């Protein structure tokens, strides 16, 4: 636990804190934990005296998030193998997904940033938003326990969890890719059949996907499966490129 008496935060406006609590669906007993979750290191470094940033909470939140999602997936899919469970969890726990959730909760309006980060649009940066999301999970966990943190996490990942079937990569990659491309580029991904092979009763389809500057191919025994595989390959490409940023 992080003792409340050691959390010497710069007090955020009570109305702002109340709005954050409403968005999170959690009333904090220790409001200092909530303030710390939204305190970036660039802000803490500019303040006189000792102020805790959210980096330790982000570290803890990453572990809590993985445990909650892992526990949830094990309960949902009792017959699914470890490798598939790991793939499903990995598809949820990445900076792009976490930052997207943080944006939907308007975290950028509340993160306390230093002057330099603020001037360069730090409240919109993927890494800062994702870290804040994990810090908030830790803050809720420390304040309300595992059950409270689990309730929050499941509420934010419920739509995604419902796309899994437990036996394939099990993710609606088309929907996730469409959400990402529309948010970033305001265009729709385009899917085109480029090849059909095999007898009529057992065809294999090849689909090419074009989405802004992303191009990928996928194959499958149905057009629907080939489109999902193309979207998955595009998503893997986007994740690799973003990890190099």
């Amino acid at each position: 636990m992080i003792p409340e008496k050691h959390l010497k935060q710069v007090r955020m406006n009570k109305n702002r804190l109340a709005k954050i609590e409403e968005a999170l669906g959690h009333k904090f007993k220790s409001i200092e934990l909530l303030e710390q979750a939204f305190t970036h290191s660039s802000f803490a470094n500019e303040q006189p005296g000792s102020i805790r940033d959210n980096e330790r909470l982000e570290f803890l939140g990453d572990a809590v998030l993985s445990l909650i999602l892992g526990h949830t997936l094990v309960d949902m899919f009792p017959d699914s193998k470890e490798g598939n469970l790991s793939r499903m969890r990995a598809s949820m726990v990445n900076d792009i997904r976490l930052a997207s959730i943080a944006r939907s909760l308007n975290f950028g309006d509340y993160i306390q940033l230093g002057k330099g980060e603020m001037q360069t649009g730090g409240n919109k940066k993927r890494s800062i938003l994702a870290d804040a999301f994990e810090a908030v999970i830790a803050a809720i966990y420390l304040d309300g326990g595992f059950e409270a943190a689990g309730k929050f996490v499941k509420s934010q990942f419920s739509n995604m969890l419902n796309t899994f079937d437990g036996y394939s990569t099990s993710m609606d990659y088309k929907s996730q890719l469409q959400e990402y491309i529309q948010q970033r580029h305001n265009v729709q991904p385009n899917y085109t059949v480029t090849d059909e092979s095999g007898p009529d009763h057992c065809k294999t389809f090849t689909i090419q996907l074009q989405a802004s500057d992303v191009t990928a191919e996928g194959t499958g025994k149905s057009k629907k499966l080939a489109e999902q595989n193309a979207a998955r390959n595009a998503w893997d490409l986007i994740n690799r490129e973003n990890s190099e940023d």
Side-chain angles (χ1 to χ4, degrees), residues 96 177 180-181 214 234-243:
I96 293 174
L177 181 68
Y180 176 83
I181 294 297
V214 178
W235 190 244
D236 288 344
L237 177 62
I238 290 170
N239 276 327
R240 285 198 299 272
E241 290 177 348
N242 283 326
S243 68

Side-chain angles (χ1 to χ4, degrees), residues 10-177:
V10 172
R11 300 295 297 182
M12 292 173 68
N13 181 279
K14 289 184 178 180
N15 290 334
R16 285 165 62 84
L17 290 168
K19 287 181 180 179
I20 299 172
E21 287 181 315
E22 183 179 357
L24 301 180
H26 179 77
K27 183 70 174 177
F28 278 80
K29 297 185 289 289
S30 174
I31 203 67
E32 287 82 1
L33 281 169
L34 180 58
E35 289 184 283
Q36 184 184 357
F38 283 92
T39 301
H40 189 257
S41 58
S42 63
F43 180 86
N45 292 337
E46 291 180 2
Q47 305 304 313
S50 177
I51 297 175
R52 287 185 180 271
D53 59 42
N54 64 6
E55 291 182 355
R56 285 169 58 85
L57 287 179
E58 181 266 327
F59 170 79
L60 177 60
D62 176 67
V64 174
L65 175 61
S66 292
L67 177 58
I68 291 170
L69 291 177
H71 193 176
T72 301
L73 290 169
V74 166
D75 284 347
M76 288 178 66
F77 308 112
D79 299 320
S80 193
K81 294 184 180 297
E82 180 273 336
N84 196 47
L85 293 170
S86 294
R87 284 192 294 273
M88 286 190 282
R89 183 174 62 183
S91 72
M92 291 187 282
V93 184
N94 59 71
D95 278 3
I96 293 174
R97 172 56 52 181
L98 302 188
S100 178
I101 297 174
R103 289 190 189 95
S104 73
L105 295 169
N106 298 317
F107 275 19
D109 294 341
Y110 306 112
I111 297 174
Q112 298 189 107
L113 297 169
K115 293 179 181 178
E117 280 290 355
M118 184 61 73
Q119 290 172 353
T120 58
N123 63 335
K124 297 178 182 179
K125 289 182 180 177
R126 184 182 70 248
S127 59
I128 290 177
L129 289 168
D131 288 350
F133 181 74
E134 290 181 328
V136 163
I137 292 171
I140 294 175
Y141 167 70
L142 292 172
D143 188 75
F146 189 76
E147 183 176 351
K151 180 181 178 181
F152 171 69
V153 169
K154 291 175 186 177
S155 72
Q156 300 305 317
F157 286 91
S158 59
N159 289 339
M160 196 171 181
L161 286 166
N162 289 335
T163 68
F164 293 144
D165 62 25
Y167 296 96
S168 62
T169 50
S170 308
M171 180 177 181
D172 186 357
Y173 286 98
K174 285 184 65 177
S175 294
Q176 184 178 7
L177 181 68

